[in-house]
């Protein structure tokens, strides 16, 4: 066997996801219900009647990034997502920073936000501490996720119907029972301190970080690329479909709530704006019924997010990004269900623990700053990759390159400049820790750790599409 032949990952994850199953997992991970019913209340408090406009502007950032993810994901169909192409294009140091931000950090924070938000809606019928209930929800989603990605796809597809129905129903009710003109949406005001004031440009930009969190997840199609059958363009298709659904399901219900609420100041000031809105237009019973529907919808997100982040941790273990015992554990695949069992448990347990000691608002603002940094790395990869690797096979190529990544970088930098110093300190501290770990642990072990192997490619009806004419090696974590 040639010593210079490229090393290629072995196919360990079970490859049996169809395009629509990939999309259902990704849309559920984006979870339109979470953006509308959990993240939007944070935006009401920050940007008042400017919340819908903030979602629209954040959608421009999302579309710019979608072009980047679609191209990069089809070129590098590897389960780890962002860090796998960042490390191959910008270098392993930048790749490890991306891994920390998109993997362990988001794997702990984002499912925790979703589970806490769901707990608030379940409390209309269950009188239990929201943090404890959120931890129970997260651990339940962890157990479900272990039983196979296709089972997850089928389960979330069924729950996704309920989720979308809840979003549609609330949107229709808001528009039908509108108490004010749509012009209120185009003259955004912040409400508080006994009065109103125009929404400033700086506050609008700062709110984009929170709104971007609501859209985050549509890039999840990349994480299931080793389990999806068919041509690699399916990764790009899933990215755009998921984002389109997310935009519609964030903007419309938030705008409907502002138009249909009896009192906008009361809506914005409410501890739970949606329960105020639902009670005001339909009464307590109606609020209870819809709140339970919302809770079921958000449960869908918890189930979808478990395999989402578990695959990043699984891939990091397979790439030996951590000390050998940790990496080997994270890379373990369940012998029957073909799922990364240890990585899934790690996501569930870590998220459950952080839920017990924090709140939705804190987690949401932390994630906003982290996402902005990650977006810059993704967009830079889309630019540098074309320059450094012009011959790289790209089944999908974005139109009008490099406009989309440049827009994403400019908007992300703008978002960072408007973040609270404490949130920037958290994000900066995480980046510093990642850089130090890479410099002092990974870089001296360049031949055995932070591996960057070639992906296993697959096309429906053709099976593995290994390049012919050259010997191919496969490798596994136990060999390293």
């Amino acid at each position: 066997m040639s010593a210079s032949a490229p090393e290629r990952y072995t196919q360990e994850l079970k490859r049996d996801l169809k395009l629509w199953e990939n999309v259902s997992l990704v849309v559920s991970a984006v979870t339109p219900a979470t953006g509308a019913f959990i993240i939007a209340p944070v935006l009401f408090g920050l940007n008042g009647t400017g919340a819908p406009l903030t979602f629209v502007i954040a959608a421009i950032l999302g579309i710019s990034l979608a072009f980047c993810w679609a191209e990069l994901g089809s070129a590098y169909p590897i389960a780890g997502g962002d860090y796998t192409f960042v490390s191959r294009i910008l270098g392993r140091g930048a790749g490890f920073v991306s891994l920390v931000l998109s993997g362990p950090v988001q794997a702990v924070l984002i499912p925790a936000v979703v589970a806490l938000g769901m707990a608030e809606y379940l409390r209309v019928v269950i009188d239990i501490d929201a943090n404890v209930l959120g931890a129970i929800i997260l651990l339940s989603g962890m157990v479900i996720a272990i039983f196979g990605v296709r089972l997850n796809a089928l389960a979330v597809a069924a729950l996704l119907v309920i989720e979308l129905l809840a979003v549609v129903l609330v949107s229709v009710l808001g528009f039908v029972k509108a108490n004010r003109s749509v012009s209120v949406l185009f003259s955004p005001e912040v409400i508080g301190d006994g009065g109103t004031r125009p929404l400033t440009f700086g506050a609008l930009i700062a709110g984009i970080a929170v709104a971007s969190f609501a859209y985050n997840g549509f890039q999840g199609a990349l994480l299931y690329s080793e389990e999806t059958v068919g041509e690699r363009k399916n990764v790009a298709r899933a990215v755009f479909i998921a984002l389109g659904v997310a935009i519609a399901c964030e903007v419309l219900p938030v705008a409907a709530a502002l138009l249909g609420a009896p009192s906008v100041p009361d809506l914005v000031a409410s501890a739970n704006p949606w329960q105020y809105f639902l009670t005001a237009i339909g009464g307590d019973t109606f609020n209870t019924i819809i709140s339970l529907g919302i809770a079921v919808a958000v449960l869908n997100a918890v189930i979808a997010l478990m395999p989402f982040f578990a695959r990043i941790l699984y891939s990091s273990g397979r790439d030996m990004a951590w000390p050998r015992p940790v990496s080997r554990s994270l890379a373990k695949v369940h012998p029957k269900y073909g799922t990364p069992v240890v990585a899934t448990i790690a996501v569930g347990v870590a998220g459950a623990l952080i839920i017990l000691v924090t709140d939705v608002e804190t987690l949401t603002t932390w994630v906003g700053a982290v996402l902005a940094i990650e977006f810059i790395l993704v967009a830079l990869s889309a630019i540098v990759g074309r320059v450094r690797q012009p011959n790289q096979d790209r089944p999908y190529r974005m139109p009008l390159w490099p406009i989309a990544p440049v827009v994403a970088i400019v908007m992300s930098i703008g978002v960072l400049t408007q973040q609270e110093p404490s949130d920037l300190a958290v994000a900066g501290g995480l980046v510093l820790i990642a850089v130090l770990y890479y410099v002092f642990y990974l870089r001296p072990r360049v031949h055995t750790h932070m591996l960057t192997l070639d992906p296993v490619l697959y096309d429906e009806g053709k099976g593995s599409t290994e390049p012919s004419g050259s010997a191919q090696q496969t490798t596994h974590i136990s060999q390293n």
Side-chain angles (χ1 to χ4, degrees), residues 114 151 190 232:
V114 175
L151 175 62
V190 177
R232 282 185 282 161

Side-chain angles (χ1 to χ4, degrees), residues 23-32 34 110 114 156 160 163 213-218 220 224 300-302 304-305 308-309:
V23 170
S24 68
L25 280 168
V26 176
V27 171
S28 297
V30 176
T31 181
T34 297
I110 292 180
V114 175
V156 300
L160 185 59
E163 179 171 359
F213 178 14
Y215 293 136
N216 187 56
F218 64 88
Y224 301 111
N300 192 30
V302 175
L305 285 169
F308 183 103
F309 287 111

Side-chain angles (χ1 to χ4, degrees), residues 324-410:
R324 193 178 303 273
V326 177
S327 291
R328 284 178 170 171
S329 296
L330 291 175
K332 287 183 178 179
V333 175
H334 195 285
K336 179 178 180 180
Y337 302 114
T339 54
V341 59
V342 175
T344 303
I345 292 173
V347 172
V349 172
L353 290 175
I354 198 168
I355 279 177
L356 297 175
V357 297
T358 191
D359 57 81
V360 170
E361 288 76 13
T362 300
L363 292 176
T364 301
T365 55
W366 285 355
V367 171
V370 167
L371 287 177
I373 297 174
E374 181 64 16
F375 293 163
I376 292 172
L377 291 174
V378 170
L380 278 175
S381 297
I383 295 174
V384 176
R386 288 269 194 113
V387 175
R388 289 184 176 176
Q389 302 166 359
N391 298 322
Q392 172 72 35
D393 181 25
R394 295 177 173 84
Y396 172 84
R397 297 174 70 91
M398 75 178 78
L400 302 177
W401 176 91
I403 292 176
V406 169
V407 170
I409 290 171
V410 171

Side-chain angles (χ1 to χ4, degrees), residues 166-181:
V167 171
V168 170
L169 178 60
V170 170
S171 300
V172 170
L173 286 173
F175 287 119
V176 169
K177 294 181 175 290
N179 288 303
R180 54 196 56 85
S181 167

Side-chain angles (χ1 to χ4, degrees), residues 137-146 302 306 344-349:
I137 292 166
L138 205 57
L139 293 174
S140 300
M142 174 195 76
V143 173
I144 294 172
I146 292 173
V302 175
M306 288 294 107
T344 303
I345 292 173
V347 172
V349 172

Side-chain angles (χ1 to χ4, degrees), residues 13 45 102 174 202 266 301 370 451 459 464 471 473:
L13 298 174
S102 66
D266 288 346
V370 167
L451 306 176
D459 281 317
S464 178
Q473 295 177 319

Side-chain angles (χ1 to χ4, degrees), residues 56-385:
V56 170
I57 296 176
I60 297 173
L61 173 58
I63 293 169
S64 300
L65 288 164
F67 283 115
C68 300
W69 271 311
E71 178 170 313
L72 294 167
S74 63
Y76 301 93
I78 303 171
D82 294 359
Y83 89 88
T84 61
F85 58 73
V86 173
S87 60
R88 287 162 174 77
I89 296 172
L90 301 182
R92 295 186 183 188
F96 185 73
V97 171
S98 174
L99 168 58
V100 170
L101 298 182
S102 66
V105 173
Q106 292 185 43
V108 172
L109 299 183
I110 292 180
V113 171
V114 175
L116 268 176
M118 177 183 173
E120 287 295 333
Y121 289 99
L122 277 179
R123 290 185 70 196
V124 300
V125 293
I126 302 176
D127 186 16
I128 186 173
D129 181 79
N131 295 73
V132 173
L133 185 57
I136 294 172
I137 292 166
L138 205 57
L139 293 174
S140 300
M142 174 195 76
V143 173
I144 294 172
I146 292 173
F147 288 99
V149 68
R150 191 156 193 264
L151 175 62
N152 273 271
L154 295 174
V156 300
L159 291 175
L160 185 59
V161 174
I162 299 175
E163 179 171 359
L164 295 179
L165 284 174
V167 171
V168 170
L169 178 60
V170 170
S171 300
V172 170
L173 286 173
F175 287 119
V176 169
K177 294 181 175 290
N179 288 303
R180 54 196 56 85
S181 167
V182 293
S183 62
V184 70
L185 304 177
F186 301 99
S187 301
E189 294 180 324
V190 177
I191 302 169
D193 299 325
T196 63
R197 63 184 186 277
L199 176 65
T200 65
F201 180 75
L204 177 63
I205 298 301
I208 291 174
V210 177
S212 297
F213 178 14
Y215 293 136
N216 187 56
F218 64 88
Q219 72 273 29
L222 281 63
L223 303 179
Y224 301 111
S225 56
E226 292 184 35
E227 296 156 275
T228 301
V229 298
E231 59 181 343
R232 282 185 282 161
K233 276 190 177 180
N234 281 347
V235 175
R237 294 185 181 111
V239 166
F240 287 116
I241 293 170
L243 177 60
V245 173
I247 292 172
C249 292
E250 312 298 352
V251 176
L252 294 178
V254 172
L258 287 169
L259 296 179
S263 168
V264 172
D266 288 346
L267 175 76
V268 172
S270 174
N272 191 321
W274 286 107
Q275 290 189 7
Y276 162 78
F277 173 76
L278 294 170
T279 302
I281 64 174
D284 291 335
T285 301
F286 180 74
N287 171 50
T288 299
I289 294 172
I290 300 302
S291 291
L292 288 176
I294 293 171
V296 170
V298 180
L299 172 62
N300 192 30
V302 175
I303 297 174
L305 285 169
M306 288 294 107
F308 183 103
F309 287 111
R311 273 142 189 79
I312 300 178
L313 297 187
Y314 158 79
S315 183
S316 73
R318 184 176 61 176
D319 284 342
M320 287 292 289
W322 317 103
R324 193 178 303 273
V326 177
S327 291
R328 284 178 170 171
S329 296
L330 291 175
K332 287 183 178 179
V333 175
H334 195 285
K336 179 178 180 180
Y337 302 114
T339 54
V341 59
V342 175
T344 303
I345 292 173
V347 172
V349 172
L353 290 175
I354 198 168
I355 279 177
L356 297 175
V357 297
T358 191
D359 57 81
V360 170
E361 288 76 13
T362 300
L363 292 176
T364 301
T365 55
W366 285 355
V367 171
V370 167
L371 287 177
I373 297 174
E374 181 64 16
F375 293 163
I376 292 172
L377 291 174
V378 170
L380 278 175
S381 297
I383 295 174
V384 176

